[in-house]
Amino acid sequence: MPLEDRSYMQDPFYGSRKSITVLLLAALAICFVLQSIAFSYSAEGSNFIVRYLFLSGDAIRHGYIWQLVTFQFLHGGFIHILLNGLVLFFIGKALETTLSTRHWLQIYFGAGITGGLFHVLGNLVFPNNFPAPVVGASAGVSGLLGAFCFLYPSNVISIWGILNFPARFFFLLSVLLSAFFIVVPAAGLGVAHGAHLGGILFGYAYARWLLHSDWKMPDLLAPFRRRPKVFIHKPQSSSWTAAQKKDAVDLPSGEFITQEVDPILDKISAHGIQSLTERERRILEAARAKMARR
């Protein structure tokens, strides 16, 4: 196969042609339309959705554990899905070039399930502080937001173009506000703050401890001590020695692709772009440079 026809040589350099964010948004939109039709024209259908698909204390009391997944595809109205969809689009697309699809989905649904479980367990003990039933994608979206805040702590998150916060500060603000509204529920009626809090903490923890090959027991006393590893494309470094360049770049094209590039592509497919070493990233850059010279 010609070098320029290989998928890793296409723009964007890292990322999937099929956007998992767009696919998920489409699924949420379809579910919202079906839910709205049922609520508009079928009392029996709406009762079924509320009882068996919304997330409530019954998920624990009666073993309706599927509610920890189904509630993430339902919403409380057009404004609800619109706001969740906007945040999901911008944060989800930003993370697609950083995370493999597998990690992206694990963060999203892991945060959704964790946030939902945290909320319904709280509902069993403090029903006034953790109101139920709960619907919405916000727990999963909060998980993606938490991962983004860890990976890009200095990036600015803008709210309606008016309020601008560094990501690390936005994370702390979100956690504090969610905790406040849980303790003082009258200040934040109608929002599942427990699900938000569980989701954003899961996403941050996943990005901090599970995305790295050098995983260690977490340092709970200093959660911001380690500088994050941001997995982004870097230009070829001048520190790469002439011998290393000769080993990779001066190989015949077919041999270069077989011996150097194909194993790296296999590694990306299995473990994601964040698993590559600095040398492997440089080899991919050398491959792209070969194509540019043709």
Side-chain angles (χ1 to χ4, degrees):
M1 178 184 295
L3 187 62
E4 58 271 20
D5 291 340
R6 290 175 173 255
S7 60
Y8 71 91
M9 302 304 292
Q10 308 298 320
D11 289 326
F13 192 62
Y14 303 129
S16 172
R17 291 185 178 183
K18 293 183 179 180
S19 171
I20 187 63
T21 303
V22 173
L23 292 176
L24 182 57
L25 284 170
L28 294 177
I30 292 171
C31 290
F32 179 71
V33 170
L34 295 177
Q35 171 194 348
S36 299
I37 292 173
F39 273 67
S40 298
Y41 299 104
S42 173
E44 182 178 349
S46 61
N47 290 335
F48 176 87
I49 291 174
V50 171
R51 181 175 181 181
Y52 293 106
L53 302 183
F54 280 30
L55 181 61
S56 65
D58 289 339
I60 302 299
R61 287 190 293 266
H62 300 301
Y64 297 168
I65 58 174
W66 61 83
Q67 292 181 354
L68 292 170
V69 176
T70 56
F71 90 99
Q72 301 181 52
F73 291 90
L74 304 173
H75 285 84
F78 178 75
I79 298 300
H80 190 198
I81 191 174
L82 176 64
L83 293 177
N84 277 340
L86 286 173
V87 180
L88 174 59
F89 178 79
F90 289 110
I91 297 297
K93 291 289 288 183
L95 287 177
E96 282 186 14
T97 57
T98 299
L99 304 174
S100 67
T101 299
R102 177 172 62 87
H103 282 306
W104 195 102
L105 289 172
Q106 286 176 350
I107 291 175
Y108 180 84
F109 286 107
I113 292 172
T114 300
L117 186 60
F118 180 77
H119 193 91
V120 295
L121 288 175
N123 174 261
L124 295 179
V125 182
F126 303 106
N128 292 331
N129 301 78
F130 297 86
V134 177
V135 290
S138 52
V141 173
S142 294
L144 295 177
L145 181 60
F148 180 89
C149 289
F150 174 77
L151 293 172
Y152 302 101
S154 299
N155 279 31
V156 174
I157 295 179
S158 179
I159 301 177
W160 308 121
I162 301 174
L163 301 175
N164 301 304
F165 304 99
R168 63 164 61 89
F169 178 79
F170 188 85
F171 170 77
L172 290 174
L173 180 65
S174 298
V175 170
L176 291 175
L177 285 178
S178 294
F180 171 77
F181 288 129
I182 290 173
V183 176
V184 189
L189 292 175
V191 178
H193 295 289
H196 292 184
L197 181 60
I200 197 170
L201 290 177
F202 176 91
Y204 188 93
Y206 189 105
R208 180 175 175 82
W209 295 308
L210 298 183
L211 282 179
H212 302 290
S213 58
D214 56 342
W215 186 89
K216 298 179 181 178
M217 288 296 292
D219 182 3
L220 298 178
L221 298 179
F224 298 101
R225 184 175 300 163
R226 185 192 302 173
R227 296 185 65 184
K229 298 178 181 178
V230 181
F231 309 117
I232 59 176
H233 167 59
K234 297 180 179 179
Q236 181 172 316
S237 172
S238 60
S239 62
W240 201 21
T241 66
Q244 288 173 314
K245 290 181 181 179
K246 185 176 186 304
D247 288 343
V249 181
D250 291 344
L251 288 172
S253 295
E255 186 178 354
F256 172 69
I257 294 171
T258 301
Q259 294 184 9
E260 297 288 349
V261 178
D262 284 344
I264 295 175
L265 296 181
D266 292 338
K267 186 175 182 180
I268 293 174
S269 177
H271 304 291
I273 193 68
Q274 73 279 353
S275 65
L276 297 186
T277 65
E278 188 66 25
R279 179 178 181 276
E280 289 167 337
R281 292 174 185 272
R282 291 168 182 159
I283 290 174
L284 285 184
E285 181 63 25
R288 185 169 186 167
K290 275 181 172 287
M291 182 194 72
R293 289 195 298 268
R294 292 189 172 187

